[in-house]
Structures are given as structure tokens and as C-alpha cells.
Amino acid sequence: MNKIFQFVARQTSYCFATVPFVIISGYFAASYAFFIVYFSIDYFKPETMRAFSFTLIAMLLIVPFIHALLLGALRNFKLPAFLKFARRLNDFFANFTDYEDLKDDELLDLLQLLVRFPLYHMLIAILIVILVTLPTIIVEYLFSRSLYHLAITSSGGLIAGIIFCYFCYILTETLTADLRGECRKIISRRNMQKPNIYGISIRKKIIFIITIVFFSMAMLTYFLAFCNASLIATVGFLATTFLTVIVLTSLYFQSINSAFGKILVTTRELSHGGGELLHLGNNEKELIQFAENFNVSVKESIELRHNLEQKVEARTKDLVKKASELEEANRRLKELDQMKSNFLSSVSHELRTPLTSVLGFAKLIRKDFAKFFVPLAQGEEKAEKKATRINENLGIIMREGERLTRLINDVLDLAKIESGRFEWRDTVFPVGEAIKQAVQAASGQFVQKPDVKFSMNIPQDLPHIKADPDRLVQVIINLLNNAAKFTEKGRVGVDAVARDDGWLEVGVHDTGTGIPPDDIDKVFNKFHQVTKGDTLKDKPNGSGLGLAICRQIIERYGGRIWAESKVGKGSKFTFILPYFTN
Ligand code: ADP
């Protein structure tokens, strides 16, 4: 329908292109009126047929004439429209093929004309109704001279007139929809202020259709009551009314339907991430306002999405930067750690050689001093005192030297383990043997402590494990040394058990000083020693590295080491390692 309209509009003028549609709707309305008159007056009365033919011919002549006069006719004849709005509308259509060229105010002007056109056209339709039906009614009356005849013809003419006007409105509105949609699209793209231009509202249109239905019903009641209309006439009239109402409503709902179709497509696109706005060609206030509000929300959501995307992009960039910074920092840290390990092992190594000489010479001096100089001092009180003092000091030098050697050995071990340069000599060996060996090595400690009773509780058939036996012995010696060091009286013991779940459990317990709860987990940290005061004197004799080394060794073999303790009651150090089952 729209294509025919556009084609005729290009040949004639935009407004004149409505003529064929108006004639068709005029014929439809006239036919309805004819049915009313035909069924209510008489069957096949020549006057009725004559009036009907007269109407059709009048319509064919009057409609193009009135349109040509008021709305402008063929473009080539340059026949200007009488109505100003029609002239402007025709000019717009003739001069602009691309509506993007229009200026803002021209665009609003065009939209306004397109919105008002259906209403103006309806007024023209009223004029046509008057021009066509009045002569028909008059001629009919002159021929029949019957008032009843006059009443029936007038009411038929009235109904036909109403239907015709309504047709004109709806048709024009449908035909101009495309152009209105186009205008609104450009207006919204240019972000122009919302034009408050609407046509007749849905509510009013529905009221109009209901009125026509009621009017027809009233007519039907009248015919049935007074005209002795036959059943065929009644059914015929009902069918025609029904058809008219269907055509009227379907024409109307077609435009609403297309609006909903567009809404559906746009919302579907939106939910799939598209950002198309809703541009309706409809004229109804409710739909246009809905589209405007919808477009505001779409624009907001597009903006939000855009902002979000920008934020995500910025954050991602930030994260990538931070990650590379972290990577760099990590690399530096590893480098520093390596440097530290290298430094520690080389320094410790360099320290060990001179320290061995210091210790050796201190021992020699002490021996020589005791042998050659102490006897000389005998008898002289002052010299004797000095000799004892020198002897004691040499003892301190030796003890501290030994401590320093132990510390250096521990530091070297730990540095090697941590840097992965430690040579592990793994073999499969019986655990029981290793425990006995460690106990033997540490037994010297307990000889000096008569108040401490040592016990060992290990079953004969302890399983084999795969590890470096020297390192396992080192762990147990360290635990036993600690137990001996921190226990003045009571018991120290070692026990072992091969658990059913595949773990070997070895525990070293004592009744010594115990470890405060705050320190219990820290004792496995490097250089951590539990002190009672701040002075060097308060520090326990050791390096604070023994347990750190123990943990490294046990964890290397997939085991775990932990401590339980109560201050003043004693401690228990336990480690577990996986063992071989035969
Ligand atoms: P150290 O060479 O100082 O003994 P360790 O790493 O072996 O170093 O032990 C760290 C600290 O844990 C010790 O200084 C001590 O405070 C505490 N500790 C270890 N074993 C015991 C124990 N059996 N009883 C009480 N405290 C202990």
C-alpha cells in the first residue's frame, strides 16, 4: 500500500496521492449506506439503486476535484494547493530526496505537517460527505416525496459519512507513517529537543470505533422493530456491519501492530547488545511518548555500558601493569635471595678457615699457658689470680669460637639447602638404626646432667625409609640436644612408631622449661630463639637455626614437623615421614 502511495506521490503530489485510497474507502462507506437503505426500504427499488449509483459517480468526480483544489494535484501542471500546509508538504516531498539535508526547524515543520495531515484530511472528508450525500438525499426526497424515505437515506448517509471520515484519517495516517518515522529518527539522532507533536490518542480512536458499533446496533434494533425486515435482510445487514467493523479495526490495529513489532525487534536487539533506538511512524500520543521514554533509557544504558567498558579497559590495563611490576619485583627478590645465599655461603666459608686457626691456637695457648706459666705464678697471690683469669678468658674464647663454628656450619647448611645446592645422599635405610646412632651421639650431653633421666622407646621392627640417613640423624641429634639444653632435671625421651596409615612418627619429649604459646610456631623460623630478657646473657646457647634446618630436611622428604609445649612442664617435638611397607 505504501509503495503504491509513494509511486503515485512522485507522479502527482504527496497530498494528491491519497485520492485513490480515499475513493476506495468512499465506495466502501457508500456500499454500507446502500445496504442500510436497501434493506430498510424495499428490495430492488429503482430509486435506491439510482441513489447508490449517483453517490458512486459523485464520489468519483468530487473526490479528485476537491483534492486537486485543496491539496494540490499533478506536479507537472504546477497546480498549487489551496491549503498552505498541503503546499508545504508537497514541496518537502518534491524538493528533498534525502531528509538528512533538512535543517532542524525545517525537520520539525515537516514532522508537524505529517502529524496534522490525517486530521486535516478528515476535515476535507467531511466536506466531501456534505457535497456527495446532501444532493443524494435531496434528489431521493424529490423523487419519493416520503419523509420516512428521507429519514432512512439521511441516517444511511450519516453512518457512511462517519465511516468515510474515519477511513480517511486512518488511511492518511498509515500512508504518512514511514516519513514520520524517518523524521523522528533524524530528530533523535541530532539530539534535538523532543517535539511535542502527536495525533489522536489510542483512547479516542477506540471510543470512536465503539461509537460506530453502538450506532449500528441502534440501527439494527430500529429495523427489527419498525421495518418488518426479513431474516435475510437482518443477517445481511449484520454481516455488512460486522465486515465494516472488522475492516475499520484491522486497519487501525495494523498500525498498532506494526508499532509493537518494532518494539519487539528493538528490545530483542537491545538484549543482544545492540543499541538501536525505537523510531515509530505512529501518530498516537501514548506510543510516541513510550518511544521517547524508551529511547532515553536506551541512550542511558548505552552510555552506562560505554562507561563500564572504559572502566574495565582501564582496570585491565592497570592490572596488567601491576602484574608486570609484581613479576619484576619477584624476579628482583629471587635475584636478591640468590645473592644473599651466595654471599652467606662464601662469607661463612671464608670465616671458617681463620676461625679454625683461632680455635686451634687458643687451645694451644691454653695448654702451653697451663704447662709453662701457671707453675711460675704459684706462690704469688697476684700472679696466681691473673693466671686463673687468663685461663678463664681463654676458655671463653674457645667456647665462643666453637659456638661461632656451629653457627657458621648451620648457616652454610641452610644456605645450601635453600639454594638447592645441598648434596642429598638418599638411600633406603632402617629408621631404628638412625635413631640409635643419633641417641649415641647426643648421649654425652646427658652425662653432664645427672638429674636428667634419658629413655628410648622404639620397637625392634621399625620400617625402612628413603632419605639421606646423615640428615635424619642430624634432625634427631638437634632435637635431643635442644631437649638436653633446656632440661635441668626430670626426663628426656625419644620414641618412634610406624603408624598404620603409612607414616613413621618420631617424638622427642622433655620435662624442661617449655616454650610459651606465642613462640611455639616461631621456633621453626630462622634465628628465632625464645629469650627471657634482652641481654646476650639471656640468649640460649645456640644459633637459632637448628629447628629451621630440621624443618627443611623433613619437608624435603614429604614429612611434617611440629612442637607441643607447656611452659614449666616440658616440650614435645614430633615429626612424621612416609615409610616403605613390605
Ligand atoms: P638453638 O640453636 O638456639 O637451639 P633451635 O632452632 O634448635 O636453635 O631452637 C630455637 C629455639 O627454640 C631455641 O632457642 C629455644 O628457645 C627453643 N627450643 C627448642 N627446643 C626446645 C626445648 N626442647 N625446650 C624449650 N625450648 C626449646
Side-chain angles (χ1 to χ4, degrees):
M1 192 159 90
N2 253 306
K3 274 190 187 140
I4 300 171
F5 176 72
Q6 300 277 338
F7 174 75
V8 182
R10 260 187 287 279
Q11 306 306 317
T12 59
S13 74
Y14 189 79
C15 298
F16 192 74
T18 51
V19 167
F21 301 94
V22 173
I23 290 179
I24 293 169
S25 49
Y27 275 26
F28 193 89
S31 309
Y32 186 61
F34 166 73
F35 268 105
I36 292 173
V37 179
Y38 170 76
F39 284 122
S40 44
I41 298 174
D42 221 340
Y43 299 117
F44 302 112
K45 206 168 180 189
E47 287 91 342
T48 319
M49 294 308 289
R50 192 180 51 227
F52 182 52
S53 321
F54 180 79
T55 311
L56 296 187
I57 294 166
M59 191 94 64
L60 203 60
L61 297 173
I62 286 175
V63 169
F65 176 72
I66 293 283
H67 276 73
L69 199 71
L70 298 177
L71 300 177
L74 301 172
R75 199 187 287 173
N76 296 338
F77 290 173
K78 302 263 188 285
L79 186 69
F82 180 77
L83 294 174
K84 204 172 145 204
F85 99 89
R87 263 204 313 275
R88 293 227 306 279
L89 201 52
N90 291 341
D91 284 350
F92 273 125
F93 191 78
N95 298 335
F96 293 97
T97 40
D98 189 359
Y99 292 91
E100 297 274 4
D101 294 347
L102 291 173
K103 288 192 203 106
D104 286 3
D105 50 343
E106 284 175 332
L107 204 62
L108 285 181
D109 191 27
L110 176 61
L111 181 64
Q112 192 137 18
L113 294 174
L114 285 167
V115 167
R116 289 188 183 158
F117 186 22
L119 203 69
Y120 290 152
H121 205 183
M122 199 162 80
L123 295 177
I124 292 170
I126 293 174
L127 182 70
I128 293 170
V129 168
I130 294 169
L131 286 179
V132 173
T133 46
L134 258 189
T136 316
I137 293 168
I138 292 168
V139 170
E140 266 304 295
Y141 178 68
L142 288 178
F143 272 109
S144 65
R145 297 272 168 195
S146 141
L147 275 179
Y148 173 69
H149 215 144
L150 182 70
I152 291 296
T153 327
S154 310
S155 42
L158 188 65
I159 285 204
I162 293 171
I163 292 173
F164 177 63
C165 292
Y166 181 78
F167 263 136
C168 273
Y169 183 88
I170 287 286
L171 272 171
T172 320
E173 196 176 79
T174 314
L175 295 173
T176 48
D178 275 0
L179 221 52
R180 263 196 309 274
E182 190 68 25
C183 280
R184 290 207 173 99
K185 196 172 178 173
I186 303 170
I187 286 173
S188 124
R189 199 181 308 140
R190 287 187 192 173
N191 270 333
M192 284 162 61
Q193 249 206 323
K194 280 191 297 173
N196 264 343
I197 315 167
Y198 319 107
I200 294 175
S201 67
I202 297 180
R203 196 173 54 93
K204 282 184 190 151
K205 283 179 187 167
I206 288 177
I207 289 175
F208 186 81
I209 291 179
I210 292 173
T211 313
I212 289 183
V213 174
F214 269 102
F215 202 80
S216 312
M217 288 303 147
M219 279 283 198
L220 180 71
T221 325
Y222 172 74
F223 295 152
L224 288 176
F226 301 105
C227 302
N228 293 329
S230 67
L231 187 68
I232 302 174
T234 313
V235 172
F237 176 69
L238 261 182
T240 332
T241 307
F242 194 62
L243 184 73
T244 315
V245 171
I246 284 184
V247 173
L248 287 175
T249 40
S250 67
L251 252 182
Y252 174 54
F253 277 106
Q254 200 241 330
S255 79
I256 303 261
N257 216 18
S258 81
F260 277 110
K262 268 192 187 157
I263 292 171
L264 209 71
V265 170
T266 318
T267 45
R268 196 181 300 144
E269 267 178 23
L270 195 70
S271 68
H272 284 93
E276 267 299 306
L277 296 179
L278 181 63
H279 303 295
L280 298 178
N282 294 59
N283 229 354
E284 293 84 356
K285 190 175 174 179
E286 294 93 334
L287 287 174
I288 298 308
Q289 279 181 342
F290 169 79
E292 279 167 1
N293 294 342
F294 178 86
N295 288 348
V296 170
S297 315
V298 171
K299 278 181 186 167
E300 272 174 10
S301 87
I302 290 172
E303 206 174 294
L304 276 177
R305 200 160 60 193
H306 186 67
N307 283 351
L308 204 69
E309 274 167 11
Q310 272 183 338
K311 267 191 190 152
V312 168
E313 205 175 306
R315 289 271 154 84
T316 316
K317 265 188 196 160
D318 231 36
L319 276 178
V320 169
K321 202 175 142 212
K322 290 244 165 74
S324 75
E325 277 172 12
L326 271 178
E327 236 168 68
E328 176 61 20
N330 197 23
R331 198 185 55 75
R332 285 277 308 148
L333 273 177
K334 277 188 184 159
E335 232 174 68
L336 281 174
D337 197 50
Q338 188 61 40
M339 273 164 67
K340 178 212 74 183
S341 297
N342 292 348
F343 173 77
L344 271 181
S345 60
S346 68
V347 167
S348 315
H349 198 77
E350 293 306 317
L351 276 176
R352 209 155 44 168
T353 327
L355 200 61
T356 317
S357 328
V358 170
L359 262 178
F361 281 115
K363 266 185 198 159
L364 212 64
I365 291 170
R366 201 180 185 195
K367 206 170 138 200
D368 288 349
F369 184 72
K371 195 170 170 189
F372 300 111
F373 293 94
V374 173
L376 293 177
Q378 265 171 5
E380 266 189 63
E381 199 186 334
K382 216 173 165 188
E384 255 181 39
K385 262 191 186 165
K386 265 277 185 255
T388 323
R389 183 80 173 274
I390 290 171
N391 202 23
E392 273 174 15
N393 287 350
L394 282 170
I396 291 174
I397 292 177
M398 276 167 58
R399 266 204 317 281
E400 289 303 307
E402 275 161 6
R403 199 158 86 101
L404 206 54
T405 313
R406 269 202 311 278
L407 175 67
I408 288 168
N409 285 339
D410 283 352
V411 169
L412 257 176
D413 278 356
L414 203 61
K416 274 191 192 163
I417 292 175
E418 283 182 348
S419 65
R421 281 183 288 114
F422 196 86
E423 269 184 48
W424 301 92
R425 296 194 179 85
D426 293 354
T427 60
V428 176
F429 63 94
V431 183
E433 292 307 310
I435 298 176
K436 280 178 202 153
Q437 196 184 329
V439 167
Q440 212 165 22
S443 59
Q445 303 265 349
F446 298 101
V447 178
Q448 297 160 18
K449 295 203 169 180
D451 292 340
V452 178
K453 246 182 99 183
F454 180 76
S455 66
M456 181 166 77
N457 179 19
I458 56 169
Q460 282 298 316
D461 53 349
L462 271 186
H464 284 59
I465 62 163
K466 187 175 183 197
D468 184 337
D470 292 340
R471 300 288 71 86
L472 190 72
V473 171
Q474 185 182 347
V475 170
I476 302 168
I477 290 179
N478 193 66
L479 296 180
L480 285 170
N481 278 348
N482 280 350
K485 199 158 53 179
F486 296 104
T487 311
E488 287 312 320
K489 66 173 187 201
R491 277 171 286 109
V492 169
V494 56
D495 39 42
V497 59
R499 287 183 350 200
D500 291 342
D501 56 4
W503 292 94
L504 167 84
E505 186 175 310
V506 180
V508 175
H509 54 87
D510 62 58
T511 53
T513 53
I515 305 165
D518 282 352
D519 285 292
I520 200 93
D521 289 324
K522 294 184 199 148
V523 291
F524 293 98
N525 293 348
K526 282 180 258 182
F527 300 109
H528 187 86
Q529 293 179 306
V530 181
T531 46
K532 294 190 192 80
D534 290 335
T535 58
L536 193 68
K537 198 162 71 54
D538 295 324
K539 280 214 162 212
N541 183 16
S543 63
L545 287 173
L547 288 177
I549 295 174
C550 289
R551 187 167 66 176
Q552 290 279 354
I553 294 170
I554 296 296
E555 284 178 359
R556 181 193 149 84
Y557 294 113
R560 197 162 71 80
I561 182 167
W562 70 94
E564 296 151 284
S565 183
K566 258 192 185 152
V567 177
K569 293 257 156 81
S571 321
K572 183 175 182 195
F573 284 79
T574 314
F575 67 81
I576 53 170
L577 285 171
Y579 69 82
F580 286 102
T581 42
N582 299 322

